[in-house]
Amino acid sequence: MTLLWHLATVGLAVFGAAFFLAGTLGLLRLPDFYTRAHAVSKCDTVGAGSILLALALYVAPHPEALKILVLLLLVLLSSPTACHALAHAAHHTGLEPSDLGVGGS
């Protein structure tokens, strides 16, 4: 593999890890279920997608790369769908969003 190939692989992996870190911070810092679910869903989808893409580039000449790309597609479809289902269920059970920071004081 060339140097550019290695740099792309490492860059995607670091990018994915940074998104996982951002999702973790969002989970810890945001005020209610809905904002936490939004942060975690988006950051985990992008983070896992980037890391899986880096893995696919790393093993590119082998057939395992195709399996990793199928897994990437599954993550890209299932993570936002699961988050939407959880938020929809929370809304139907009557869970109200937090109003912290809304309205001034």
Side-chain angles (χ1 to χ4, degrees), residues 32 45 59 67 99 103:
D32 66 348
T45 302
V59 298
K67 294 176 188 177
D99 59 358

Side-chain angles (χ1 to χ4, degrees), residues 21-98:
L21 178 64
T24 302
L25 292 175
L27 182 64
L28 295 174
R29 300 284 301 171
L30 293 172
D32 66 348
F33 172 77
Y34 297 107
T35 55
R36 289 176 186 161
H38 177 76
V40 169
S41 170
K42 302 309 174 216
C43 291
D44 281 355
T45 302
V46 173
S50 296
I51 290 175
L52 286 170
L53 193 56
L55 230 94
L57 286 175
Y58 185 71
V59 298
H62 299 288
E64 287 83 14
L66 182 61
K67 294 176 188 177
I68 293 171
L69 291 176
V70 170
L71 184 60
L72 171 65
L73 181 65
L74 258 167
V75 167
L76 291 178
L77 292 174
S78 65
S79 180
T81 305
C83 181
H84 173 75
L86 285 171
H88 189 70
H91 179 69
H92 278 288
T93 60
L95 183 64
E96 293 293 323
S98 172

